[in-house]
Amino acid sequence: MKFLLKFLCVFLLSIYGFSQETFEKKYLTKNYTALDGLPSNEVRSLFRDTRGILWIGTKSGISTKYFGKITLFQPAVDLEFSNVLDITSDSAKNIWFASYGQGILFYDGTKAVRYTKKDGLLSNYTTALFSFGEYIYAGSKKGFSRIHTKTFKIQNFRVDHSSEEDLVITDFFTHKGNLYFTTKRNGVYSFINDRIIEVNNLKDIYRTFITNDTIYVSRENNIEVYKTISFLNKQLPLYSLPSKQVWDFYKTKKEHIIYAASNAVSQNDGGIKVIEGKKITDKTSHFDMADFKVFALEFDEANKVLMIGSQNNGLYQVYLNNKAEYYPYKKRNIIDFHHVKGRMYIMHSEGLSVMGYNDDFGDLKLEDFKRFQQKKYRKWLPLLKSNTCFQKIDTDIQAKNILFYKSMLVNNQLWISSNIGVFQLDNSGLLENYYPILTNQFTLFQGQFIATTSDGGIQIFTDIETLTYKNFSCKRNSDVPKNVVNIVQNENTVLFASATDGLFKYENGVFYSFYKHTAFTEQRLKKIVYIDENRFLVATEFNKLFFIEKKGEVYKVVKSRFSEKIKGNSIDLLAYYQGKVLVGTNYGLNIFNDKTTRLIDKDQGFFNSIITSYYLESNYIIVGTTEGFFAIDLTDVATQNHFSDNLRISDITIQGKPYTKDFCWGVFKEKTLELSYQENSIDLGFLIGKVEYPEKLSFRYRLKPNEEWSPYFTDPSIKLSYIEPDEYQVEIEVNNLDTGYIEIVQPLTIIINPPFYKTWKFLFAVFVFSSLLVFLLLRYRISVLKKKHRKEQELQEYNNAQKLKTIQLERRITNTKLEALRSQMNPHFIFNVLNSLQNYIIDNDVDNALYFLSKFSKLTRETLNFSTLQFITLKEDLDFIKLYIDVENMRLDYPVSLHIKKNLDFNENDLMVPPMIMQPIVENCIKHAFTRQITQPVIEISVEMLFSKLVIRIKDNGIGYVNKKKENYHESKGIAMVKERLNLLHNEKGTFYTAESSEKGTVITLILPIEIAFTKQK
C-alpha cells in the first residue's frame, strides 16, 4: 500500500511542506504477553520458518505463533529447556534452539532431542546458532561446537586467548564462502579448514549484519558500518550510527529498510530503529510500544508485519502496511474536508484548516468565523427586520460554541453552514461572504441556494445576495420534504433523504414525494449517493440498501443483496466508487462488489468507527473521524494465498482424548483419519498460515456435498458428535473479510468404520456363508425330500401291502368268523338240539320244550350278534359260555358243571376279548372229554392277568387225550380257528395256545394281549 493517498501524501507532506508531526502515520500494533500464552514476557529470540510458524524463545521456554494463535511448545516444557537466546533451522528445515544453561534443543517436527555437555557439547551455555552447509555451529563462552545435521556427531573447537574472561561468541556470518564469528571480548575470527584464525581484534560486538558488500557491526555505543572486506582487514568504518547495543537486525526485501533492535539501558537509546542510508530514526513511539528494551526482530515479508521481542512486555506485532493507515491530525474531530487545485480544506471542531503549497493560510479558527459574522451581520439587519418570516440567528453565540453542519465545494469555492449562518470562502481559501441563513442541509443547484429549515420545509433562494427566496411548507404540501438528513444532486434533479418521510426529489421546479406516490415506500432514510445520471443508491435507518434506476418517468426499485451482509448498526457513510459500494458503520467500512465482501475495522487499523466525513480520490477513501484521518486503499487486496495450501488440521480430540498419531510440525500430516465406530465424537482444530489478519476469517463446514452448510463461526474448530459410520469429506468454507476472498477447502477425510458385523467384508462373508448354508440346506432338503419321497413310496408300497394284507386278514377274519359261526352252529349241534326238543314234545313235556326252545333261541341270537363284532367284553363271553352249557345240559345224561375263577386288576366289563373265543374249546370238552363213564363232568374256567397279558385256562375232568393213539387223534376245526385268531390278534408268531392233557383231564391255556383288549375298549 502507498504511504498515503495521492493528494494527502504528495501534496501535503512532500510538496506543500506540511509538518511531519501534523500528518505523522500511526501504525497498528498488537501486544502479546504471558497472558496470551507466552512462557515469559522476556522474549530473547524470534525465528520464522518456511512453514510460516513463528518460534518465540523466552527466558522461561518456547512458544509458537501460527494463525494468530500463540501455543506453548510442550517438548521444551517436558525437557525443562528455557532461557532461549537463539533459534535457527538447518538445510532439512529442522529447528535448533540455543539455551544459556541447558545446551541445545533439536526438533524435527515429531520429536525433540536435547544435547548438553554430557552428550559432547563444549558448554551448556550456548549463545549463538548458525547453519552452514551440513552443520550447525553453536557458539558458547569458550568456543563453539559443530554438529552434523544428519549423523549428529559433535565436534568442539576452543579459541585460545590470553584473557582470563570468557570470550563469549556473539554471532556468526559468512563472506565469500568462509565462516566467521564475533566475540564479546576477544575480537573476530575466521574458521577455515577447521582452523581458527583471528582477523580483527575489535571487541564488544553484539551482532553483525551483512547486506551486499556492507557489514553493520553493533557495538556498545553505536553501529559501525564497514565494507565487509575492510572490516576483515582491520580497516576503519565508513561511518557510525548512534544506537547502543543492537541485538538484532532485519532488512526488508522489497523496501530495503533495515530495522534494528536496541536493548540499551537508557530509554532514549533503546527501542526500534530504522536505518535508511546514513540516517537512523527511532520508531518505538510510532509503533506504540511501551518497552524500549528490545532483543529480537522477525519480519513477515508477505504481509509486511514486523515482530518485535521485548525484554519486559512480551511480543509486539506491528502492521507496517495495515489496510487503514491512521493520521491523528492532532486528534481533532474532523467534520468535513475537500481537496481542490493543490489546496486542502479540513473542517474540524476547532475551525477550518486551509493548506496549500505553503502554510500561508494556516487555520481559520472559530474566533475568525465569529468575527467575520459580526462584521457582516450588520449588512443584513435592515432586511432581517423587514422580513419577519425569516428565521432569526442568535448573535450571542460565543465562538467556542459554534457548530459546523455541512460544507460544500462549488466552483472551487467552499460553502459552510453553521449555527451562526452560512459562510462562503473565495478561491484563495479566505472568508468572502456571510449569509444569515440557518440550515443543517443545503445545496447549490442551477444558480439557486436550496436550504432546509428548522420548522420543516425548504427555502429556495433565487438570489442569495438579496436573500430573495421562496418558502415551501411541508405542512401545506406533503410533496415538500422535512427532517432532511442528506441531499445529493445531478444536473437535473435534487434528491432529499428524510429521516421520517422517505425520499423526495426536486425537478423542474416541482417537489415530489416518492412515498406519497408509492414509487418508493421506505420512510426512515439515512444516506443517498448517485451512481450515474439515472441510478442512485439509498440507505435506510435499518441498514437496508436499495438501487433505484430512473427509466423515463418511472423509477425501478431493487433491494440490494448487500443489505444482509452489512456489519454494523448505523450507516454513517455511503459511497459508490468504480463498481464498489462503500458502507461505513459503527463496526467499520463495508466494501461490496459483485464478487466479494470486505470489512475494514479495528483489526486492520480502523479503530475509530465514528465516521464524520469522507473523500474519494485515486482508489483511496479518506475517512474523517472524531480523532483524525484514516486512509484506506480500495485496491490494495493482497495476492491471495490459496487456503487449500495453508489450511492444516492442528488438533484432533477423539472421545475427549487427544489424538497425537501422525502429527508433524504441529499439524496432522495425513489426509485421511480412519476410526472405529466407537470413536465417533471428534473435535478438529485447524490453522491457516500466511494470513495477514486471521481475525477476519470466518468459517462454516459440511461433511457431505449434498448437506446444508453449518452457520458461520470464527473459532477455528469443529465439533462432531456421535456421527454414524460412513465416509465423510470434511469441507471448510473460509471467508476472508479482509480481502473478500472465499474458498472451499477439503483438509480431511474421516472414515468411521462400522462394527465388524456391518462391514462389507463381514456382510459378504455372511452372504457367502448364507448362500452356502442355503445351498447345503436346499441340498439337504432335497435329499430329505428324496428320502422322504422314497420312504413315502416305500410306505405307500408298505401301506398298500398292509392294506392288501389287512384286506386279506379281514377276509380271513370274516371267513374265520363265518367258519366259527358255522362251527358253533354246525348241523350236528342243531340236529341234537332239535332232536331233544322233539323228545320233549313227544313226551308232552311242554314246559321243558318251551324252556329249551327259549334257551336255544337266545343262544342263536347271541351267536348272530357276536359274529359281526371284533371284540366283546370278557363278561359277555363268559355269559355266552354259561348259556351254551345250559343248552347242552338239557340234552346230556350227565349235566356239565361250570366253575369260573377270576383274578383281575380291572373289571371284567372293561376287558375286551374276541367274541366266542372260548366256545369251541368248551364244545370240544363236552364232545370228546366227557364219556359215559364221567358221571360228574366239570369244566373250570380261570381268568387272570399275568405280565400284561390276559390268561384264560379252561380245565375239564374228562378222559384226556394222552392215551389216545396218534392215528385216532384229530384236532377239531374249531380249535384250529381259535389258534389262528390268536395269532392274528398278536400279529406275530408265537405260542398263544397250549393244551396239557392227562388221565385226570385236559387244561387249555389261551394268552390274549391285554393292551389290545384295553385299547379296543377305549
Side-chain angles (χ1 to χ4, degrees):
M1 185 175 176
K2 300 176 182 177
F3 185 71
L4 184 56
L5 78 166
K6 189 174 181 180
F7 81 92
L8 188 61
C9 177
V10 178
F11 291 147
L12 301 184
L13 296 179
S14 303
I15 299 176
Y16 304 149
F18 292 155
S19 65
Q20 184 78 7
E21 182 180 357
T22 301
F23 285 101
E24 183 65 48
K25 175 180 176 181
K26 295 296 182 181
Y27 295 89
L28 173 63
T29 301
K30 297 179 181 179
N31 183 219
Y32 301 93
T33 66
L35 297 177
D36 302 298
L38 293 178
S40 166
N41 285 339
E42 184 175 334
V43 178
R44 302 300 302 266
S45 55
L46 297 172
F47 181 78
R48 184 181 299 277
D49 66 18
T50 56
R51 305 166 192 86
I53 301 173
L54 179 69
W55 297 88
I56 308 166
T58 75
K59 184 178 181 180
S60 302
I62 303 168
S63 285
T64 60
K65 185 175 183 292
Y66 194 63
F67 187 66
K69 179 182 179 182
I70 293 179
T71 306
L72 188 66
F73 185 55
Q74 191 60 40
V77 177
D78 297 338
L79 295 173
E80 299 181 352
F81 193 83
S82 61
N83 207 15
V84 181
L85 298 188
D86 204 1
I87 309 172
T88 191
S89 67
D90 57 28
S91 57
K93 301 180 182 180
N94 300 315
I95 307 298
W96 298 77
F97 306 89
S99 167
Y100 195 74
Q102 282 87 41
I104 294 173
L105 186 67
F106 164 80
Y107 183 62
D108 65 357
T110 57
K111 67 178 185 300
V113 180
R114 179 181 167 189
Y115 296 95
T116 63
K117 193 171 183 180
K118 293 180 180 180
D119 303 301
L121 284 182
L122 182 63
S123 172
N124 287 337
Y125 294 89
T126 311
T127 55
L129 291 176
F130 192 74
S131 176
F132 185 56
E134 294 184 342
Y135 295 95
I136 290 291
Y137 291 83
S140 64
K141 296 190 297 182
K142 299 183 180 299
F144 62 87
S145 297
R146 184 173 68 179
I147 307 171
H148 197 281
T149 57
K150 293 182 180 178
T151 65
F152 300 99
K153 180 182 178 181
I154 300 175
Q155 295 174 286
N156 294 321
F157 298 88
R158 293 179 178 271
V159 179
D160 295 329
H161 60 97
S162 57
S163 173
E164 294 182 359
E165 293 183 306
D166 294 330
L167 53 90
V168 184
I169 293 178
T170 57
D171 201 4
F172 293 89
F173 65 90
T174 59
H175 179 65
K176 294 183 178 182
N178 294 322
L179 181 65
Y180 299 85
F181 61 90
T182 61
T183 67
K184 181 72 170 60
R185 298 184 177 90
N186 285 79
V188 183
Y189 297 83
S190 67
F191 182 71
I192 303 173
N193 297 327
D194 290 356
R195 293 181 59 195
I196 298 174
I197 301 174
E198 183 181 294
V199 296
N200 195 321
N201 59 2
L202 197 65
K203 300 180 180 179
D204 295 326
I205 298 176
Y206 287 87
R207 187 71 73 181
T208 59
F209 175 70
I210 293 180
T211 173
N212 299 324
D213 60 347
T214 303
I215 185 170
Y216 292 77
V217 181
S218 169
R219 304 194 68 197
E220 184 71 31
N221 296 309
N222 58 11
I223 300 172
E224 296 178 355
V225 184
Y226 298 82
K227 289 293 183 182
T228 306
I229 190 66
S230 300
F231 175 68
L232 297 177
N233 290 328
K234 303 182 181 181
Q235 297 179 10
L236 295 176
L238 298 174
Y239 55 89
S240 296
L241 298 172
S243 183
K244 296 182 178 180
Q245 297 184 18
V246 171
W247 287 74
D248 205 359
F249 291 92
Y250 193 95
K251 181 180 180 181
T252 61
K253 295 179 180 179
K254 185 176 181 180
E255 295 82 4
H256 305 295
I257 298 174
I258 298 175
Y259 291 92
S262 171
N263 192 253
V265 176
S266 171
Q267 177 174 326
N268 296 329
D269 295 329
I272 297 297
K273 316 293 182 179
V274 174
I275 301 173
E276 296 176 283
K278 295 183 180 181
K279 181 181 178 182
I280 185 167
T281 306
D282 192 312
K283 288 287 185 179
T284 310
S285 60
H286 297 93
F287 291 164
D288 197 22
M289 292 175 55
D291 195 346
F292 282 80
K293 291 181 177 293
V294 182
F295 282 114
L297 297 174
E298 189 55 72
F299 191 70
D300 182 352
E301 293 284 352
N303 298 312
K304 308 301 179 192
V305 177
L306 181 65
M307 310 302 298
I308 303 169
S310 71
Q311 179 171 317
N312 302 306
N313 285 65
L315 179 69
Y316 288 95
Q317 178 173 301
V318 182
Y319 292 86
L320 301 180
N321 198 19
N322 45 291
K323 296 295 186 296
E325 297 186 347
Y326 175 51
Y327 300 86
Y329 190 56
K330 302 178 182 179
K331 292 194 175 182
R332 288 173 172 173
N333 181 2
I334 306 300
I335 298 172
D336 208 350
F337 50 90
H338 303 274
H339 167 242
V340 58
K341 290 189 175 181
R343 187 175 292 110
M344 183 77 169
Y345 295 98
I346 305 175
M347 189 165 66
H348 48 78
S349 54
E350 298 178 15
L352 178 72
S353 295
V354 184
M355 302 178 182
Y357 288 99
N358 51 57
D359 289 332
D360 293 341
F361 308 110
D363 290 344
L364 288 174
K365 299 180 180 179
L366 296 178
E367 290 78 5
D368 297 326
F369 283 93
K370 182 61 180 177
R371 282 193 295 268
F372 192 78
Q373 183 234 11
Q374 291 173 339
K375 177 181 177 182
K376 296 292 183 179
Y377 190 75
R378 301 185 190 96
K379 169 186 173 182
W380 303 107
L381 281 176
L383 182 62
L384 295 176
K385 290 180 180 180
S386 63
N387 191 345
T388 57
C389 295
F390 209 77
Q391 188 172 356
K392 185 179 179 181
I393 292 178
D394 184 1
T395 57
D396 293 330
I397 294 176
Q398 299 179 7
K400 65 179 180 179
N401 295 323
I402 293 176
L403 300 176
F404 294 117
Y405 298 136
K406 180 180 178 179
S407 65
M408 184 176 181
L409 197 64
V410 181
N411 298 326
N412 297 330
Q413 294 182 335
L414 187 66
W415 292 73
I416 301 172
S417 67
S418 71
N419 62 343
I420 63 171
V422 175
F423 297 88
Q424 178 193 4
L425 278 68
D426 63 14
N427 294 338
S428 301
L430 298 175
L431 289 170
E432 183 177 16
N433 289 312
Y434 167 79
Y435 304 97
I437 302 172
L438 284 179
T439 181
N440 288 328
Q441 295 290 331
F442 71 91
T443 187
L444 282 90
F445 175 69
Q446 296 178 350
Q448 304 174 101
F449 186 86
I450 302 176
T452 62
T453 64
S454 60
D455 58 350
I458 299 293
Q459 289 178 334
I460 298 181
F461 293 84
T462 55
D463 185 0
I464 196 171
E465 298 301 329
T466 62
L467 295 185
T468 303
Y469 71 94
K470 184 176 181 181
N471 193 55
F472 295 86
S473 173
C474 61
K475 298 178 180 178
R476 298 177 182 178
N477 184 358
S478 57
D479 280 310
V480 176
K482 65 178 179 180
N483 300 325
V484 176
V485 292
N486 194 206
I487 302 176
V488 297
Q489 68 188 64
N490 61 13
E491 291 184 1
N492 302 310
T493 307
V494 179
L495 296 175
F496 302 85
S498 168
T500 57
D501 295 287
L503 181 64
F504 296 81
K505 73 172 181 176
Y506 177 72
E507 190 175 64
N508 298 324
V510 178
F511 285 98
Y512 173 87
S513 168
F514 283 72
Y515 177 77
K516 176 182 177 181
H517 299 283
T518 67
F520 179 58
T521 56
E522 293 289 330
Q523 289 183 275
R524 309 190 68 160
L525 306 186
K526 288 291 295 284
K527 298 290 181 181
I528 314 173
V529 63
Y530 261 107
I531 298 172
D532 53 37
E533 286 298 314
N534 295 313
R535 293 186 302 155
F536 54 93
L537 186 61
V538 179
T540 73
E541 188 175 333
F542 303 105
N543 286 6
K544 297 179 184 178
L545 295 180
F546 295 90
F547 286 98
I548 301 179
E549 182 177 6
K550 182 180 181 182
K551 293 186 176 181
E553 297 301 320
V554 179
Y555 288 89
K556 180 182 178 182
V557 180
V558 178
K559 183 179 179 181
S560 172
R561 58 186 176 85
F562 303 142
S563 300
E564 290 73 23
K565 298 181 179 180
I566 295 174
K567 304 291 185 182
N569 302 320
S570 176
I571 296 178
D572 299 316
L573 182 156
L574 182 66
Y576 187 89
Y577 186 74
Q578 295 184 354
K580 299 180 179 69
V581 175
L582 312 178
V583 181
T585 69
N586 57 320
Y587 274 35
L589 182 65
N590 297 265
I591 305 174
F592 304 106
N593 63 23
D594 292 336
K595 295 181 179 180
T596 61
T597 299
R598 299 175 60 193
L599 177 66
I600 308 298
D601 62 7
K602 57 182 177 59
D603 293 326
Q604 296 116 303
F606 191 26
F607 57 85
N608 186 343
S609 299
I610 305 177
I611 299 172
T612 58
S613 54
Y614 74 92
Y615 184 83
L616 287 163
E617 178 77 21
S618 302
N619 293 326
Y620 280 84
I621 182 170
I622 309 301
V623 180
T625 71
T626 56
E627 294 185 359
F629 293 99
F630 290 88
I632 301 172
D633 189 347
L634 300 178
T635 61
D636 187 20
V637 179
T639 302
Q640 295 302 326
N641 294 314
H642 290 292
F643 297 131
S644 56
D645 299 330
N646 298 310
L647 192 149
R648 297 288 185 270
I649 301 298
S650 59
D651 296 287
I652 300 177
T653 302
I654 300 173
Q655 306 300 121
K657 297 180 180 179
Y659 181 85
T660 57
K661 184 181 177 182
D662 298 323
F663 274 82
C664 186
W665 299 108
V667 297
F668 188 59
K669 63 183 180 180
E670 301 296 334
K671 290 295 184 181
T672 301
L673 178 64
E674 188 169 356
L675 303 170
S676 72
Y677 72 97
Q678 296 174 321
E679 301 171 309
N680 61 348
S681 291
I682 307 165
D683 293 344
L684 299 177
F686 56 91
L687 299 175
I688 301 179
K690 302 180 181 179
V691 177
E692 186 174 5
Y693 300 101
E695 302 89 348
K696 307 306 295 179
L697 299 182
S698 60
F699 316 93
R700 60 180 184 173
Y701 77 91
R702 64 184 180 187
L703 301 181
K704 295 282 188 179
N706 56 349
E707 284 185 353
E708 293 291 331
W709 289 97
S710 71
Y712 276 106
F713 54 92
T714 56
D715 182 34
S717 63
I718 298 173
K719 187 176 184 63
L720 306 174
S721 300
Y722 305 109
I723 56 178
E724 294 295 324
D726 202 347
E727 181 173 330
Y728 300 95
Q729 178 62 65
V730 180
E731 290 184 308
I732 301 175
E733 182 184 277
V734 186
N735 183 5
N736 189 349
L737 281 179
D738 173 45
T739 63
Y741 183 69
I742 297 176
E743 184 180 352
I744 295 176
V745 185
Q746 297 178 343
L748 186 65
T749 297
I750 299 176
I751 299 175
I752 304 295
N753 290 318
F756 76 95
Y757 52 84
K758 290 186 178 181
T759 61
W760 71 267
K761 292 181 180 179
F762 179 80
L763 294 176
F764 179 74
V766 169
F767 172 75
V768 172
F769 177 77
S770 300
S771 300
L772 181 60
L773 182 61
V774 169
F775 171 75
L776 294 176
L777 288 174
L778 288 175
R779 186 174 179 182
Y780 174 75
R781 179 62 176 167
I782 291 171
S783 175
V784 169
L785 290 175
K786 286 182 178 180
K787 289 181 180 179
K788 182 178 180 182
H789 182 66
R790 285 197 301 269
K791 287 183 177 181
E792 287 178 350
Q793 285 183 328
E794 293 174 355
L795 182 60
Q796 185 66 32
E797 293 174 358
Y798 174 78
N799 288 337
N800 291 337
Q802 289 297 108
K803 286 181 180 179
L804 180 60
K805 190 175 180 181
T806 301
I807 292 172
Q808 293 173 348
L809 179 61
E810 289 176 350
R811 186 178 298 159
R812 288 178 59 193
I813 291 173
T814 303
N815 293 333
T816 302
K817 288 180 178 179
L818 292 175
E819 290 180 1
L821 182 61
R822 286 195 296 269
S823 67
Q824 292 161 359
M825 300 294 292
N826 60 63
H828 180 73
F829 172 74
I830 296 173
F831 175 79
N832 288 336
V833 171
L834 292 177
N835 189 42
S836 297
L837 181 62
Q838 182 182 5
N839 292 332
Y840 284 128
I841 293 172
I842 292 173
D843 291 337
N844 201 21
D845 189 353
V846 177
D847 292 334
N848 285 328
L850 291 175
Y851 176 78
F852 186 76
L853 181 61
S854 173
K855 290 286 186 180
F856 176 71
S857 63
K858 184 178 180 181
L859 178 64
T860 303
R861 186 170 56 252
E862 291 292 331
T863 301
L864 292 175
N865 289 337
F866 291 163
S867 64
T868 60
L869 299 176
Q870 190 173 358
F871 291 95
I872 61 175
T873 66
L874 177 62
K875 185 177 184 308
E876 288 174 332
D877 204 28
L878 291 173
D879 289 343
F880 180 81
I881 296 299
K882 291 178 183 179
L883 181 60
Y884 175 77
I885 291 175
D886 287 343
V887 173
E888 285 284 7
N889 283 340
M890 294 186 70
R891 67 176 186 85
L892 295 176
D893 296 334
Y894 303 105
V896 177
S897 298
L898 177 64
H899 302 285
I900 298 174
K901 295 180 179 180
K902 293 175 283 188
N903 184 17
L904 301 173
D905 295 332
F906 296 93
N907 191 286
E908 57 184 346
N909 287 318
D910 294 330
L911 293 174
M912 308 297 288
V913 295
M916 299 176 291
I917 190 70
M918 294 179 283
Q919 187 272 336
I921 300 171
V922 172
E923 179 184 358
N924 199 51
C925 290
I926 295 173
K927 183 178 181 181
H928 299 288
F930 299 136
T931 63
R932 291 185 179 272
Q933 289 82 12
I934 305 299
T935 58
Q936 293 180 346
V938 178
I939 296 177
E940 183 180 303
I941 298 175
S942 64
V943 183
E944 65 177 339
M945 296 179 65
L946 186 65
F947 301 111
S948 299
K949 300 293 182 179
L950 184 65
V951 180
I952 301 175
R953 291 185 177 89
I954 303 173
K955 180 180 180 183
D956 63 65
N957 58 351
I959 62 174
Y961 59 84
V962 289
N963 296 321
K964 291 187 176 182
K965 295 181 180 179
K966 187 176 182 180
E967 59 271 15
N968 293 328
Y969 178 77
H970 171 73
E971 185 179 74
S972 70
K973 191 173 182 180
I975 297 300
M977 291 181 63
V978 169
K979 292 181 178 180
E980 184 177 358
R981 289 177 72 187
L982 289 174
N983 289 331
L984 290 174
L985 284 174
H986 287 276
N987 198 22
E988 60 180 331
K989 292 181 178 181
T991 303
F992 309 108
Y993 175 95
T994 60
E996 296 179 2
S997 184
S998 66
E999 294 178 352
K1000 295 181 179 180
T1002 302
V1003 178
I1004 303 298
T1005 303
L1006 305 179
I1007 300 175
L1008 282 74
I1010 193 172
E1011 294 87 358
I1012 292 178
F1014 190 73
T1015 303
K1016 293 300 179 180
Q1017 183 269 345
K1018 291 292 184 182

